[in-house]
Amino acid sequence: MKLNESAIKTACVILFAAAMLFGSPTRSALTLDPRELADLELQVHQQINRIRSQKNIPALAINEHLRAEARRHAENMIRRNFFSHEDPERGGLSERLDSVGINWMRCAENIYRENGITNPSQDAVKAWMDSDSHRTNILDGRFKDSGVGAAMQSNGTLIIVQEFLR
């Protein structure tokens, strides 16, 4: 069967109309591979340091042990379907840090969950800066180290955790 130019144009119009009506696939239809998650973690860290720099607050160093713990907490929230600073099995941040041998004098944590956002690092940082308690953690000059961890569920739900340490 040979399609004429009119039939092709009609099909294109129908496809375009369907795309406009139903929208294009969102981030929630995708999953990120480990390298993309690591890039996302770094983007969050860099954006936080830009904000701190604008406020004349020293940059946070990346602490790989803290990063691993932040990633573990994000993965646990995804795997066990909860969203909280308090892990039902591993406890709060101080207990979790103690259990993996991370020494600390002061610690704090920001968590973020989303589904379908096209720029999750920017949206997470904006949400944190719009929240008094999260902004306080970001702008606290007593914190010297940070670790950002991210995990994504197969349905596209993304969790980002940033932990702060002194």
Side-chain angles (χ1 to χ4, degrees):
M1 174 168 108
K2 186 174 180 181
L3 293 176
N4 63 31
E5 188 175 336
S6 176
I8 293 172
K9 285 181 183 178
T10 301
C12 288
V13 168
I14 291 169
L15 287 173
F16 178 75
M20 295 303 289
L21 180 63
F22 297 110
S24 60
T26 63
R27 169 74 59 196
S28 65
L30 306 173
T31 57
L32 299 176
D33 67 34
R35 185 182 36 115
E36 291 171 313
L37 286 171
D39 288 346
L40 173 67
E41 295 165 353
L42 183 59
Q43 290 169 16
V44 169
H45 182 83
Q46 291 170 337
Q47 289 175 35
I48 295 297
N49 275 340
R50 270 194 291 279
I51 291 168
R52 287 172 65 98
S53 175
Q54 293 166 356
K55 306 278 187 186
N56 295 315
I57 302 168
L60 295 162
I62 294 176
N63 180 314
E64 289 299 333
H65 297 292
L66 198 57
R67 187 178 191 183
E69 181 52 37
R71 190 176 290 149
R72 187 176 301 116
H73 188 52
E75 290 169 351
N76 282 342
M77 285 191 277
I78 290 287
R79 185 173 46 257
R80 296 201 325 265
N81 197 30
F82 72 95
F83 183 71
S84 174
H85 296 286
E86 186 79 21
D87 183 310
E89 292 179 11
R90 298 184 65 232
L93 178 59
S94 59
E95 290 88 5
R96 289 184 273 124
L97 295 177
D98 289 345
S99 74
V100 295
I102 296 176
N103 296 320
W104 58 276
M105 293 173 54
R106 180 178 181 78
C107 62
E109 178 178 73
N110 289 349
I111 60 177
Y112 173 79
R113 177 175 54 189
E114 67 86 14
N115 190 312
I117 304 296
T118 57
N119 193 341
S121 63
Q122 187 174 37
D123 290 337
V125 172
K126 181 182 181 331
W128 290 337
M129 288 302 291
D130 289 344
S131 160
D132 290 339
S133 60
H134 295 98
R135 184 176 53 253
T136 297
N137 292 339
I138 290 168
L139 300 179
D140 189 332
R142 294 172 291 183
F143 291 125
K144 305 298 180 197
D145 290 352
S146 174
V148 178
M152 181 174 266
Q153 200 169 27
S154 60
N155 71 358
T157 298
L158 175 69
I159 293 181
I160 302 172
V161 175
Q162 182 170 26
E163 295 176 353
F164 302 87
L165 192 65
R166 175 182 169 132

